[in-house]
Amino acid sequence: MALSICDTLSVLDKTGKEIIQRGSSLFPAACYLDQISLAPVPWHWHDELEIFIVMSGNAETVVGTDKFILHAGEGIFINSEMLHSVTALPGEECILKSICWHAHLTGGRDDSIFWQKYTKPLIDDRTIAYIKINADTQHGLTEKSLFLDAWQQCVEEPAGYEVDVRYALSKILISLMEHENTNYRHRGEKAMRNEERLKKMLSLIHLHYGEPLTISQIADTASISVSEAIRCFKSTLETSPIQYVKKYRLEKALAMMDTGLTISEIGNKCGFDDMSYFGKEFRKMYGASPSEWRKDHSKV
């Protein structure tokens, strides 16, 4: 299995959730090596379970409404359907190794003991958004070792690697559940409610970023007031809904620079009717105008 490319800006279903194929239907897992300092992982969520280890630098990690820094050697398990993002600290290099896999890879069939006893209780407990993998405990070191071995086997694909990867991921889940009370603070109803509201609002933005969007439309999709929508964005994403829309549009525009579209076509597709404004905001975010960036970086 070759390393997969992390592309959370492009493939979404009608709810705004990722629908990227992880591995294959026979072995639904994918491994990634991400330089977060160059390409941050934006807000997204997916059905798959995920584990990543910080190999170097410090990763500012947000899961649901919780924000924390993971240092080199530390890692995290992120439960299915959990809203999350990862960025590097300013001016730092940060590299992650991660594996995403469908719960049925480790859980088996719905009527198996692996699913009923070890997997279903975990993914059904919505208070468990994440469990940290600590580098300073014996069980944390064991979990990290199992993960790195599974990651390497996914890359190299030696004979029988699927069995070994499934075993390693299963052992990690069991270990995490045994020690999760020391690595995780259970979420309350308020945090879960805010996350669900955010997911609804982000879904609208991610699916309709190329169209005119107002704060009222964004708030309405979560059935809340404009002031509550602003509070929800500010408390978790530390930005306003409209600022988030603009940033997401610019990120999508950057991703389109390697296509054959003209700069004007890219701007229009990303919701910018005024090309002068598009160029000004693009330069503000990326340090160059769209045409300058394409000349210096794009393969087109």
Side-chain angles (χ1 to χ4, degrees), residues 249-284:
R249 285 171 169 168
L250 290 169
E251 289 171 343
K252 292 293 289 187
L254 184 70
M256 293 182 190
M257 286 295 165
D258 280 332
T259 67
L261 297 173
T262 66
I263 299 298
S264 294
E265 288 172 335
I266 291 173
N268 286 327
K269 279 184 173 292
C270 294
F272 293 99
D273 295 328
D274 184 336
M275 289 303 105
S276 175
Y277 177 72
F278 172 47
K280 175 184 174 184
E281 293 303 315
F282 190 97
R283 180 185 290 277
K284 194 181 297 182

Side-chain angles (χ1 to χ4, degrees), residues 91-216:
E92 288 190 8
E93 182 181 79
C94 182
I95 296 175
L96 310 180
K97 286 185 176 180
S98 63
I99 299 178
C100 290
W101 76 97
H102 195 281
H104 279 291
L105 175 66
T106 45
R109 302 188 326 180
D110 289 354
D111 60 354
S112 72
I113 192 170
F114 307 106
W115 183 262
Q116 296 292 334
K117 184 175 181 179
Y118 300 108
T119 305
K120 190 175 186 295
L122 174 62
I123 63 176
D124 282 355
D125 188 345
R126 306 320 292 166
T127 70
I128 301 179
Y130 63 88
I131 304 172
K132 292 181 181 178
I133 298 174
N134 292 330
D136 57 354
T137 64
Q138 186 54 54
H139 59 80
L141 290 173
T142 299
E143 293 157 4
K144 179 181 174 182
S145 177
L146 284 165
F147 169 83
L148 293 175
D149 180 64
W151 189 92
Q152 196 63 38
Q153 292 214 47
C154 279
V155 174
E156 297 178 358
E157 297 186 341
Y161 80 96
E162 299 96 338
V163 175
D164 290 336
V165 169
R166 184 188 187 196
Y167 173 79
L169 294 175
S170 299
K171 290 293 288 183
I172 293 171
L173 291 185
I174 293 171
S175 177
L176 288 172
M177 290 302 291
E178 287 177 348
H179 302 100
E180 60 95 11
N181 286 332
T182 63
N183 299 329
Y184 172 69
R185 176 179 58 81
H186 281 271
R187 300 186 304 159
E189 289 293 331
K190 182 178 180 180
M192 288 188 283
R193 183 175 64 250
N194 284 344
E195 182 184 340
E196 289 307 310
R197 289 172 171 177
L198 266 175
K199 285 166 73 173
K200 289 177 181 178
M201 292 187 284
L202 292 178
S203 294
L204 178 73
I205 295 169
H206 293 175
L207 291 170
H208 300 283
Y209 64 89
E211 306 165 19
L213 287 173
T214 66
I215 297 182
S216 294

Side-chain angles (χ1 to χ4, degrees), residues 3-72:
L3 286 173
S4 300
I5 297 172
C6 184
D7 183 9
T8 56
L9 285 173
S10 61
V11 189
L12 308 170
D13 70 7
K14 64 182 180 181
T15 71
K17 179 174 64 180
E18 274 190 21
I19 52 172
I20 297 171
Q21 174 69 48
R22 313 284 184 185
S24 67
S25 58
L26 292 176
F27 190 69
C31 57
Y32 302 88
L33 179 65
D34 297 317
Q35 191 165 350
I36 301 302
S37 41
L38 297 180
V41 177
W43 286 100
H44 69 292
W45 61 99
H46 41 69
D47 285 335
E48 292 83 1
L49 307 175
E50 180 176 358
I51 293 176
F52 71 76
I53 299 290
V54 181
M55 304 306 295
S56 66
N58 299 285
E60 183 175 271
T61 306
V62 190
V63 185
T65 56
D66 290 357
K67 177 188 289 188
F68 42 86
I69 303 297
L70 292 177
H71 307 288

